[in-house]
Structures are given as structure tokens and as C-alpha cells.
Amino acid sequence: MSRTLQLTEQLISLPSVTPEDAGCLELLADALQPMGFACERIDSGPDSFRVRNLWARRSGTGADRPVLVFAGHTDVVPTGPLEQWSSPPFVPTHRDGKLYGRGASDMKTSIAAFVVALEEFLAETPAPSFDIALLLTSDEEGPSVDGTKVVVELLRERGERLDWCIVGEPTSVERTGDMIKNGRRGTMSGRLTVKGIQGHIAYPQLARNPIHQALPALAELAATRWDEGNAFFPPTSWQISNMHGGTGASNVIPGHVTIDFNFRFCTESTAESLQQRVQAVLDRHGLEYELAWTIGGQPFLTTPGTLVNAVQAAIRAETGLETELSTTGGTSDGRFIAQICSQVVEVGPPNASIHKIDEHIVVADIEPIKNIYRRTLLELQRQQSA
């Protein structure tokens, strides 16, 4: 059994359903400390929802050394109905060349690969020309309030600079290394409450139907072209997720209607500009309304350069693939790290089974992802030494 597979199985066996860590960080700190990493726990949140965070850094001598950080999460989503699993979700199980268990793809294999890649790299390069860190949390699959976000805020207060970040999210599609994420769209939600006047449905002249009033504005918002996207991002999208109105009776005009909606926006738009445009539409339609905004994350983009080139070279050397750069999908903790790090990419194994019953990873994909991380470290070292 390879060292990466062994550590992956150890992590899967720990039932770290968000926000629980179940001992994952202690296991990882025990592996990192002998390599010279100073391990700091930065736990956060109330006792009823305590989030465990680990900031581990290995610093060398010299001023203005660049910093590479590996980032990931030890927490996993709930298992779903246990009876639907072919084997217990927290008992690592091999069948037909696959390793089954919750977190196998998202993202305990990546975390194990981080550690083993560092062991191998530091054995070969004991005095690298850059500092190395790991930022690990048990709050990525949950609210993402007391995890990476808290650690990043603390690092910013300390004035700590990060130059390159590799997030171990499962980004591949068919084969390990065929796709990486070099950015993510921002996410912003709105809750719109349009006010009317409740009344008997037989006497509409004595009431004001907020649903009727809201529909033209909603139709305009749905038809709006917010931007054209760019070479890396599709155009910004706006979607209604929920609409609630009425008393439940068929003969009452409601007094208000509430609409939940969400933007997934690219770097061609800002949260502020989108808010202003929505409010301008609502005002133009003469609505009486309340509107509350929640920004879940700003968009970020890493254009080809030092880190992207190093990762592409590592994937090419390990797999022969020319990886695809993509910004599709949901959000990740990269959105927080990008606030203090100019180059952030996500690189990980195939994602076809993530969050599903019988989550798994093909065993043959485990060593290649570790080797991609190790080769990326070597390529960064080569670039720094050139």
C-alpha cells in the first residue's frame, strides 16, 4: 500500500461530517511537524458548532521569500441513508479498483496527497527557495463562516502574504489533470419583498396585488444581459430560486410577495454595480419593496503565469495531458484565499462521485494527483532557481 493511499484511508475512517474534524487535523499535524512545519490551531465558532482550523507553515531563511500554500477541508457532507451505501461510508473499502468512502474524492485524497508530496519534495529539496504552508479547515461544506475565512482574516491582520495557493478541490472530469480551476464566479443572493395591499379577490379595486406588480420587473431582470463574460468566464447569470406569496386561501389577494434570487457573477461585473442595476429596475417599475443582499463570495481569476504554468507543466509531465483551464462550477474556499493571494488554482481528482452515495476514487488516480503536487513544487523550485 502506498503512503498516499494509507493516509487517505486513515482520513476516510474518521467521521468528520461538517463541522466535525474527528481528529483529522491532529493526524495531519503529526505528519507535518517532523518536516519542520509549525502547526497552529485557529479554532472558531460557538461550542455548539466549533470549527477546527489548522495553519501550518515551514519557513526558511532570507527575506521576501515567496509563500506557497496548500488549502483544503477535512469536513465532508452527511452520508445520506446508510442503507443505500454498498459499504459503510467511514470504512475505507476497495472494490473493482476503486476506494469507497465519504470524502474519497472530496477531498481527503487531495489532503493526503499534499502531505506525501511534501514529504517526497522536502526529502529531495530540504532547503527550498520558498516557504510552504497548509491551510486546512472543517468548515467548507457547511456555512464557511468560521473556517478558511477566519484564518485568512487573521493572516491579513498579521500582514502575512501568500503568493501561490493550490486548493485540492476535485476538479478533474474524466482523467486526473484534465481540468483545473483558475478562478470562480462570485455569488450574491438577494431577498426581495414587494409590498401590496391584502384584500378580497372579488374586490381587486380595494387591494393591490404585489405578485401582479412584481412580474413585469422580474421579467425584465430575467431578460437582462448583465455582461458578456470574458475569455475565462461565462456571462453573469441571474436566477430566481424561490417565490412566496399568499395566505393559502384562494380568495385572498396577498399583502406581499417574497422573491429569493441569486447572481453568479464574473469579473466583468461587481457586486455593487449589480445591486445598483437591480434597484434601478425595481424603482422604474414603481414598486414598494424591501431588498436585502448577501454576498457569498467575490469572483477571482488567476491568469496564466508562474503558478498556472507550473501546474500545467506538472500535469503534462505526469499524465501527458494539456489541462483545460476552467472557472465553471460553484464556489470554493479559494474565494477567501484570493483576498490575500494573487495566484490561486484548484487542482484535484475526478469529481463524478462527490457528495453521492458510494462516493469513491479510482485507486489508480491517487498516486498521479500526489505526483502532480510534487512536480508542481519541483517546477516552482526550478523557476525560482533559474
Side-chain angles (χ1 to χ4, degrees), residues 25-57:
L25 294 183
E26 287 81 0
L27 174 66
L28 295 165
D30 288 344
L32 293 168
Q33 287 168 336
M35 290 187 274
F37 283 86
C39 295
E40 177 185 3
R41 289 291 293 272
I42 308 173
D43 297 349
S44 180
D47 291 341
S48 60
F49 201 90
R50 194 68 174 167
V51 171
R52 278 71 177 177
N53 301 307
L54 176 66
W55 172 246
R57 180 163 179 168

Side-chain angles (χ1 to χ4, degrees), residues 142-210:
S144 299
V145 171
D146 289 296
T148 299
K149 182 179 180 181
V150 165
V151 179
V152 166
E153 289 171 353
L154 178 62
L155 296 177
R156 178 160 38 200
E157 290 173 5
R158 293 176 179 175
E160 294 197 43
R161 184 197 75 224
L162 307 180
D163 296 274
W164 311 307
C165 177
I166 296 174
V167 185
E169 288 292 342
T171 59
S172 301
V173 182
E174 299 294 336
R175 295 178 56 191
T176 291
D178 63 3
M179 179 181 288
I180 66 175
K181 306 291 185 181
N182 65 318
R184 295 279 190 169
R185 293 175 296 174
T187 176
M188 179 171 64
S189 296
R191 169 160 286 188
L192 169 66
T193 300
V194 178
K195 299 177 181 179
I197 298 175
Q198 183 174 311
H200 195 294
I201 206 160
Y203 301 97
Q205 72 276 14
L206 302 179
R208 189 173 79 239
N209 194 317

Side-chain angles (χ1 to χ4, degrees), residues 227-375:
D227 55 49
E228 299 302 320
N230 55 37
F232 296 99
F233 285 102
T236 291
S237 69
W238 181 86
Q239 292 290 321
I240 293 174
S241 57
N242 290 284
M243 182 180 291
H244 306 279
T247 64
S250 61
N251 61 350
V252 178
I253 293 172
H256 69 274
V257 60
T258 299
I259 300 101
D260 295 322
F261 60 85
N262 179 267
F263 279 105
R264 292 302 166 105
F265 62 106
C266 72
T267 50
E268 296 298 307
S269 294
T270 66
E272 293 75 16
S273 68
L274 295 172
Q275 291 178 11
Q276 291 169 4
R277 292 176 68 184
V278 168
Q279 288 165 204
V281 171
L282 300 176
D283 291 341
R284 188 164 60 252
H285 284 270
L287 301 180
E288 182 184 357
Y289 67 92
E290 294 178 355
L291 180 56
W293 295 99
T294 302
I295 300 175
Q298 298 286 353
F300 69 92
L301 178 66
T302 300
T303 55
T306 302
L307 182 57
V308 169
N309 293 346
V311 172
Q312 288 178 318
I315 291 171
R316 189 181 303 116
E318 179 65 24
T319 68
L321 295 172
E322 293 297 330
T323 191
E324 177 184 352
L325 300 180
S326 172
T327 61
T328 58
T331 59
S332 76
D333 276 359
R335 68 190 189 273
F336 302 124
I337 299 167
Q339 297 173 18
I340 59 170
C341 183
S342 60
Q343 299 183 53
V344 180
V345 299
E346 302 173 24
V347 189
N351 56 25
S353 70
I354 62 173
H355 293 203
K356 292 183 177 180
I357 300 292
D358 282 347
E359 180 180 349
H360 62 270
I361 187 169
V362 175
V363 174
D365 282 322
I366 294 176
E367 285 304 291
I369 193 61
K370 179 265 294 181
N371 289 336
I372 288 169
Y373 297 149
R374 177 180 56 81
R375 289 178 185 273

